[in-house]
Amino acid sequence: MAVEKATFEAILPYRFIALTFPNPNHSTSHLRIAVLDSPGHPFDPPRVAAMFVPEHRESDWIFCTEPGHLQLLLNSPGISRLILVGNQPENSRPSQPIYRRPVKNDMSYGLGVSLRPLFLALSPKSCFKHGIPEIPILSYEDNVICSVVLGRFVGSLVGEMLVEDVEIEVENGGGRCSNREFRRRLRFKRMPNLIQTEVRVVPKEGFSSNSVEIGEVDFRPDNGVLVHSYLAPMVASLRLIDSRIEERIRSGFRPKALCLGVGGGALLAFLKTQLGFKVLGVEEDEEVLGVARQYFGLEDGELLKIFVGDAMEFFEKVAFRSGGRNASSFNGHEVENGTEMDGVDAEFDVIMVDLDSCDARNGVSAPPLEFRRKHVLLAARSILSDNGILAINVIPQSSAFYETMKCDFLEVFSELYEIDVGNEENVILIATASPVMSSISDSESSFLTKLRKVISGAFMDSIKKI
């Protein structure tokens, strides 16, 4: 496409322009150049950076869509304009090709020097106030060694999504270990850098994971372990009410969990199979549930029920039906929009919230702003048991956002606790319906013993009262 030179003279927030440019290293090929301006306040002078797309990843949503570029920019603090350079994505996909990381990425070798005049031409005028600016070359690195897309789908609410199997490198004690690990991931196009669901997979036919390659055998999900970084800390929050859960179990009742946001269903399956919970999940997009059942081993039944609808509206209606009295169930009734309420409990020992913002322009953030509204929090409080807890995955937009959120929760709940996930991104915020009473016992409860077997004790020990 032809672009006026003056187009790039000033920063225009959110502006996205893509064009092709002759490859100076290959006379017969062209590069795809994407220029994206930061949505935030412009720096003075603005900072421009370039990034080269890893070879053979050109068709990944992260590198070929505006939401993907925007998230790359938002993850590069202080950058006003990002120039992304890559080979032209392949338009045809006759089959699902297997991506294998090149032994050496030669994409940027020599191109950084050859394309410097172009980078300067794409820089705003104000960059030259103090002479010719330096334009750093940013690198994109992740732990994916090999990947293959298993399927692409379109949800009525979440839009395009894909399921992929990946082989990854895992770090152990600060260094990379030699063990191979295979995962299955669910990603949405609207937030391509965010992994919605990730589970461990193992070969179906009993092969050793050390002797197979992606594309050679079929894999099945292993929901006996939580690999998504924030899910294990979220489950660790149950340490605060282990004595309450133990009492329920000894009285012949299963503890009950409400999970807002299902995705692939890894958390729900884990609570049911590993900890003996009766689980209710709420998911707004039915196509997501179809993917979860087909690829992630989600099996709903007597102990795991799924309802389709808006998560916050759903539990507000449960709270309304209970009349604030925490009734035991609503067998045979329907909520106003026709959703069947058969077997829905109106009192839960724990509510676990895994909902993210659906707007890539705000960056990756969780929960949605709507969840901070007082009437929503009151509804959540009203359907918790007297000693229940609400555990929520938080990806704060800023420290001010998180501080305000904590104040909102303290207006409704008795106490607040938090767990630092340790990835410099997620925090698990835990709100309690009643003050947590420390139990003094000569022996550990059987539930806590079970919890320690499946969840790292480090997360339980790191629970901190706010």
Side-chain angles (χ1 to χ4, degrees), residues 268-293:
L268 287 73
F270 186 87
L271 291 172
K272 184 191 81 167
T273 59
Q274 302 301 310
L275 295 175
F277 271 74
K278 181 179 180 182
V279 185
L280 170 65
V282 183
E283 171 60 51
E284 65 176 354
D285 197 316
E286 196 160 9
E287 185 67 21
V288 173
L289 295 177
V291 169
R293 293 181 180 111

Side-chain angles (χ1 to χ4, degrees), residues 14 39 70 74 191 357-365 369 397:
Y14 288 114
L70 181 57
L74 292 173
M191 300 286 278
S357 169
C358 62
D359 187 359
R361 290 176 177 263
N362 293 327
V364 179
S365 63
L369 289 175
Q397 297 175 0

Side-chain angles (χ1 to χ4, degrees), residues 148 150 165 182 184 202-209 211-220:
V148 62
L150 303 181
D165 279 350
F182 297 96
R184 181 161 295 167
V202 294
K204 272 187 177 180
E205 303 301 327
F207 294 102
S208 167
S209 294
S211 62
V212 299
E213 299 281 351
I214 281 181
E216 291 182 350
V217 299
D218 291 330
F219 291 85
R220 61 173 177 81

Side-chain angles (χ1 to χ4, degrees), residues 168-446:
I168 65 169
E169 294 172 322
V170 289
E171 294 186 358
N172 185 8
R176 287 176 177 172
C177 67
S178 58
N179 292 336
R180 309 170 74 198
E181 188 129 345
F182 297 96
R183 306 276 178 88
R184 181 161 295 167
R185 292 174 171 176
L186 172 64
R187 289 197 284 134
F188 295 165
K189 187 176 183 178
R190 60 177 169 82
M191 300 286 278
N193 297 57
L194 178 66
I195 300 170
Q196 296 288 334
T197 294
E198 183 172 50
V199 300
R200 186 170 68 181
V201 291
V202 294
K204 272 187 177 180
E205 303 301 327
F207 294 102
S208 167
S209 294
N210 291 324
S211 62
V212 299
E213 299 281 351
I214 281 181
E216 291 182 350
V217 299
D218 291 330
F219 291 85
R220 61 173 177 81
D222 174 11
N223 287 317
V225 61
L226 295 172
V227 296
H228 220 149
S229 60
Y230 62 86
L231 290 185
M234 185 175 284
V235 174
S237 66
L238 296 172
R239 172 67 177 91
L240 292 174
I241 55 170
D242 64 275
S243 58
R244 157 72 178 174
I245 295 175
E246 182 74 12
E247 288 176 11
R248 285 190 59 82
I249 294 172
R250 289 183 177 180
S251 299
F253 299 99
R254 284 182 179 269
K256 293 177 288 186
L258 171 63
C259 296
L260 303 185
V262 173
L267 176 62
L268 287 73
F270 186 87
L271 291 172
K272 184 191 81 167
T273 59
Q274 302 301 310
L275 295 175
F277 271 74
K278 181 179 180 182
V279 185
L280 170 65
V282 183
E283 171 60 51
E284 65 176 354
D285 197 316
E286 196 160 9
E287 185 67 21
V288 173
L289 295 177
V291 169
R293 293 181 180 111
Q294 182 178 355
Y295 290 98
F296 291 89
L298 180 65
E299 296 181 353
D300 31 346
E302 182 181 353
L303 298 179
L304 197 164
K305 293 183 180 297
I306 305 293
F307 289 86
V308 180
D310 180 87
M312 287 170 282
E313 287 182 8
F314 185 88
F315 73 67
E316 281 190 271
K317 289 173 181 177
V318 174
F320 174 79
R321 290 280 179 157
S322 70
R325 296 186 299 274
N326 289 330
S328 60
S329 65
F330 301 113
N331 292 331
H333 294 283
E334 294 182 349
V335 295
E336 296 160 354
N337 67 357
T339 302
E340 294 184 358
M341 297 289 288
D342 183 30
V344 174
D345 295 295
E347 179 185 281
F348 297 90
D349 299 295
V350 60
I351 299 173
M352 294 191 173
V353 182
D354 185 12
L355 301 171
D356 61 83
S357 169
C358 62
D359 187 359
R361 290 176 177 263
N362 293 327
V364 179
S365 63
L369 289 175
E370 295 82 357
F371 199 86
R372 286 173 43 186
R373 293 175 180 170
K374 191 168 185 178
H375 70 279
V376 174
L377 298 179
L378 286 170
R381 169 65 185 85
S382 72
I383 61 176
L384 280 174
S385 63
D386 291 339
N387 297 295
I389 61 171
L390 181 148
I392 180 168
N393 174 41
V394 181
I395 306 176
Q397 297 175 0
S398 64
S399 58
F401 173 92
Y402 187 46
E403 292 302 317
T404 303
M405 181 177 175
K406 289 190 287 188
C407 291
D408 293 339
F409 274 64
L410 281 172
E411 288 185 11
V412 174
F413 293 91
S414 179
E415 294 177 341
L416 282 184
Y417 296 79
E418 66 180 2
I419 303 175
D420 185 351
V421 173
N423 61 359
E424 299 183 353
E425 183 175 76
N426 303 75
V427 177
I428 303 302
L429 185 65
I430 310 162
T432 69
S434 304
V436 173
M437 305 296 292
S438 58
S439 57
I440 301 175
S441 174
D442 293 333
S443 60
E444 194 173 87
S445 71
S446 59

